[in-house]
Amino acid sequence: MKNTSIIACLTAVLALAACSDVKRTPGRVYIPDMAYSRAYESYADHSNLAEKGISYNNRPVEGTISREEEMPFHIAKDAAGDTTNYTASKQVPNPYIFDSLTANDKADVERLYLVNCGVCHGTKLNGNGPLYKDGNGPYAAKPATLVGDAKYEAMPAGQMFYSVAYGKNLMGSYASQLSRSQRWKVIAYIKAKQQEGKKSAPAVAAPAAAVVAAK
């Protein structure tokens, strides 16, 4: 009985202490600004924060990039009528080599090409996609032949990236459909297909006149 009374008294004391209005201090906190972040409204006026001793400018730390901006492309879009940056983009190398990708990545990149590019350039990269369809499709102008046309086979990856990112001629920008890494990987896929096309192309026979001259 005595033990029960002691437990009841202790319980009552703890309950009263928990409900007390006495303010307690948590002690000292190391770097309190990191332990307790300040609440702020995204679109509120922050112009007077410095007067309150708060260092905050609503901008990311200098030199950092967001997670969505991987593989930054430092060349801006040319002004109308200018091709300076388009020409400079030739020097930007592709950070990806298609053969170095995993099997899953290769399958995904091929899917990205078919979804975003195949409708114009065709599943065989011959410019004969559903929109052209041997001239019977809704587009009268044939899209670029990515495999089999020396112009596009010689086009550097960086210049292809510029065209995909900003658009070129009749092709619009695909910056909203493909992330930067996806664009580079799709271009690596195109370049790999171009190399396959060159290997499978039949050898061109030498002209008869050249053969006679060689004899």
Side-chain angles (χ1 to χ4, degrees):
M1 185 68 180
K2 185 182 292 185
N3 291 338
T4 303
S5 299
I6 294 174
I7 293 173
C9 290
L10 290 175
T11 303
V13 171
L14 290 174
L16 290 173
C19 298
S20 174
D21 292 331
V22 176
K23 294 182 179 180
R24 294 176 174 81
T25 174
R28 294 185 178 182
V29 179
Y30 181 66
I31 312 180
D33 286 345
M34 295 184 67
Y36 306 103
S37 59
R38 298 178 182 273
Y40 67 93
E41 295 294 334
S42 299
Y43 300 103
D45 181 14
H46 299 150
S47 59
N48 63 342
L49 292 181
E51 299 173 4
K52 300 177 181 179
I54 301 173
S55 177
Y56 179 76
N57 57 20
N58 204 25
R59 292 195 299 271
V61 177
E62 185 178 354
T64 61
I65 59 175
S66 68
R67 189 181 299 274
E68 296 78 15
E69 293 298 321
E70 77 283 17
M71 304 297 176
F73 188 68
H74 63 280
I75 297 179
K77 183 179 181 181
D78 281 316
D82 189 13
T83 60
T84 302
N85 290 345
Y86 178 67
T87 302
S89 65
K90 294 179 180 181
Q91 307 302 320
V92 183
N94 193 336
Y96 293 104
I97 298 175
F98 187 73
D99 289 341
S100 67
L101 300 178
T102 65
N104 289 337
D105 281 343
K106 289 180 179 179
D108 187 56
V109 172
E110 184 174 20
R111 178 188 64 83
L112 290 173
Y113 170 84
L114 294 175
V115 169
N116 295 278
C117 315
V119 65
C120 289
H121 299 285
T123 57
K124 297 181 180 179
L125 289 78
N126 57 1
N128 195 24
L131 290 183
Y132 182 66
K133 203 175 181 179
D134 293 322
N136 298 315
Y139 281 13
K142 184 180 179 182
T145 301
L146 299 175
V147 171
D149 188 328
K151 173 185 175 182
Y152 295 101
E153 291 185 348
M155 180 178 286
Q159 206 161 46
M160 282 190 173
F161 186 95
Y162 180 101
S163 302
V164 174
Y166 301 127
K168 189 68 175 175
N169 299 328
L170 295 178
M171 185 180 78
S173 168
Y174 277 78
S176 61
Q177 292 94 324
L178 298 168
S179 68
R180 288 181 176 176
S181 62
Q182 287 175 335
R183 286 173 239 162
W184 280 123
K185 289 177 182 178
V186 167
I187 292 169
Y189 169 80
I190 293 171
K191 287 298 180 184
K193 288 296 183 181
Q194 289 175 344
Q195 292 300 318
E196 290 179 11
K198 290 179 180 179
K199 292 178 182 178
S200 60
V204 179
V211 173
V212 172
K215 292 181 180 180

